[in-house]
Amino acid sequence: MNVLADRPRRLESYVGGVWTRGAKEGVALLDAATGAPVALIDSSGIDFAAALAYGREKAGPALRRMSFHERAAMLKALAQALMERKEEFYALSTATGATRSDSWIDIEGGIGTLFSYSSKGRRELPNTRVLVDGGVEALSRDDTFSAQHILTPLQGVAVHINAFNFPCWGMLEKLAPTLLAGMPAIVKPASQTAYLTELMVRRIVETGLLPEGAVQLICGSVGDLLDHVDGQDVVTFTGSAVTGRRLKTHPAIVENSVRFTMEADSLNAAVLGLDAGPGTEEFDLFVKEVAREMTAKAGQKCTAIRRVIAPRAHCDALITALDERLAKVALGNPADENVRMGPLASLGQRVEVRARIRDLGVDAEVVVGDPANPQVVSGDAEAGAFLNPILLYCGKPGAARSVHDVEVFGPVSTVMPYDAAEEAVELVKRGKGSLVTSVFTNDPDIAQELVIGMAPFHGRVLIGNRVSAKSSTGHGSPLPGLVHGGPGRAGGGEELGGMRGVKHYMQRTAVQGAPGLISAVTGRWIEGAPARADGEHPFRKSLAELQVGDQLVTATRTVTLEDIEHFANFTGDTFYAHMDEEAARANPFFDGRVAHGYLIVSFAAGLFVDPAPGPVLANYGVDNLRFLTPVYPGDVLQVRLTCKEINPRVNAEHGEVRWDCRVINQTGATVAQYDVLTMVAKTRG
């Protein structure tokens, strides 16, 4: 398929397992730089109710049959396949107005999110289909009635309605946690740049890596799709607050309490600290960051800096420095390798941006750039949606409204002064909730005051200074492991955030009952569930033989004063509670000299470890270690070791086993409790 053919191609939707065109010829989508037609888009005639049903009935069960690790492996394979085809996406991306570096954020940034969730899924989630959430809640004294919160995939479809600025990343950053959770999705890209999303979905389908129907695509209007969503579905939206509020109050979404996540307008700010005047490294970093956020994707980023808040004494120097830096930004056709900033996504978008600049003019004046006369190094200044960076200055931001209410989705920022840190915080808060604000300072006290004051109004806060300059990912980069979203005006939603994002597509349920039955549900042994001791040491069993609940009760060992003193001298841990009887008795927690906690752990290992080579390959950690009862000379220790959870690795000859380890004394009191983590071979060697 020639994605850059002279004749505009009719985009197709992928629903019900087939590619289908709309019933009408469609609306023309134009190249942002040249104005030439790229594609036609229309979705009329699609049975949207059937698309939802197909996802629920076909793809949902197939995804839920897979474990978290299997789904993680699927994401990795998909990311590898898309990365092999990345140049095809880059070639088409120029039509959206994106330069090569802009496209890198969208294309490889999106694919990188798949890689990240694949890795996190295999590292942080068990190889199960049910996710345990939190600890066991004991509901009876005799361990016959307990409760456990679990997370299971919702049995509907996630409908992702995306914005035009990131046709690849915007889709993939939502698909990664959705698919890892075990839920199918319907993707609805914004029409302006839908041709790039459609190309990527075609390549996704061609890989054959996903269960049929796991990803469906609608190019064009969603029609009556939302009329058919129910309580097991999820709807996410990225775009304008006006549209988002309309969708959020859709009758079916309200009536069925459909989960709705919105990322909307965001008047993100960057604050220059009072310590960061001209000549400091932080001032230079601030100028660089503001200019980058104004020009990357031509300012068409939901995280771009809209408000530049700086000490009043430094505003003139800041404007001069930004003017000099922005003057070097070559605006033109993104296919030109000399261009550093491409056009806006469409001529309509340029009309919108110019109108919003006029709105800002009520409270601010343009000090850099001319909205009406774009200066380009290549391309047609009028046929393409070109606009040079525009910087405004608002001298009285405390009395202004437009600069805190109007988001200009383009290469436009407004500088505004402040005199004290608390004033900067108040100006930031006037944005009524944002995705991100950055603070540039090298003063810990300033950082503390600004960040704590602003945090409740933001999903993310970046602190920039000379120490992190080389490693920082910057103000405008949402990362897979960090939450992306914000309160108030920003939509009140939350995406990404590592495993937090996965849980958005799962239902949390409290399961109550007998411990043995709860263990059967979760695949994890809990206190009070049946245990088995068949005479064979559990460490002699491979994963193929080991079962959750296999248990070893060890012989005993008496702790002596000589043991305590030897351990202290050998390790250098001569804390007074182990060495000084009088001082130890004065401690409110002890009745005399006590054994080291790590001596207890060491003795426990000596009691439960089977020394011979076997299926257990390595001990790779200890979780949740707690010392619960002091151990005195003469106390007798014993260990109960129980196989708690088994996680075989996909495409490997071993897996992880989590063991519940409980150390008790001669009275039956628990001395220490923790989880031992081991690598175990799948079969005996």
Side-chain angles (χ1 to χ4, degrees), residues 186-419:
I186 293 176
V187 175
K188 193 282 179 200
S191 293
Q192 285 168 273
T193 55
Y195 45 85
L196 182 52
T197 310
E198 191 232 37
L199 174 62
M200 182 169 277
V201 172
R202 282 188 180 277
R203 299 302 175 251
I204 289 173
V205 172
E206 288 169 3
T207 68
L209 292 168
L210 305 185
E212 180 54 57
V215 175
Q216 298 183 80
L217 173 72
I218 296 172
C219 287
S221 168
V222 294
D224 66 350
L225 176 69
L226 297 185
D227 292 345
H228 307 290
V229 295
D230 63 30
Q232 286 293 302
D233 297 320
V234 175
V235 176
T236 73
F237 170 78
T238 301
S240 75
V242 173
T243 303
R245 285 192 292 269
R246 177 166 52 82
L247 297 178
K248 189 175 184 177
T249 56
H250 187 285
I253 290 177
V254 174
E255 181 178 348
N256 297 315
S257 298
V258 176
R259 297 187 188 189
F260 186 90
T261 297
M262 179 167 67
E263 181 203 312
D265 303 346
S266 185
L267 286 164
N268 312 296
V271 180
L272 183 65
L274 290 166
D275 62 310
T280 66
E281 293 180 66
E282 284 68 36
F283 182 88
D284 294 340
L285 291 169
F286 186 78
V287 171
K288 179 180 179 181
E289 193 70 11
V290 171
R292 179 168 65 177
E293 288 302 312
M294 289 180 66
T295 56
K297 290 287 288 187
Q300 298 170 114
K301 291 169 53 180
C302 54
T303 55
I305 295 170
R306 309 300 181 195
R307 298 179 298 155
V308 182
I309 301 172
R312 187 178 302 276
H314 305 327
C315 282
D316 287 345
L318 175 62
I319 292 171
T320 298
L322 284 170
D323 187 7
E324 292 174 354
R325 193 171 190 95
L326 294 172
K328 299 175 183 177
V329 177
L331 174 68
N333 190 325
D336 180 349
E337 63 180 18
N338 296 314
V339 163
R340 292 296 172 263
M341 189 177 94
L344 297 168
S346 68
L347 289 172
Q349 184 64 19
R350 185 170 67 177
V351 171
E352 167 73 15
V353 169
R354 285 171 170 170
R356 298 292 76 78
I357 292 173
R358 289 193 294 272
D359 290 340
L360 293 181
V362 173
D363 295 311
E365 60 177 327
V366 173
V367 291
V368 174
D370 183 352
N373 297 296
Q375 303 297 310
V376 299
V377 298
S378 60
D380 188 317
E382 291 306 317
F386 295 104
L387 185 74
N388 294 102
I390 304 297
L391 190 69
L392 297 96
Y393 178 72
C394 174
K396 297 180 179 180
R401 295 189 60 182
S402 65
V403 293
H404 305 299
D405 290 340
V406 176
E407 182 188 19
V408 185
F409 208 69
V412 181
S413 293
T414 302
V415 175
M416 51 192 77
Y418 76 94
D419 296 301

Side-chain angles (χ1 to χ4, degrees), residues 65-79:
R65 283 193 293 270
M66 302 169 70
S67 70
F68 288 108
H69 286 198
E70 289 170 332
R71 294 194 289 263
M74 176 184 73
L75 291 182
K76 181 179 180 181
L78 180 60

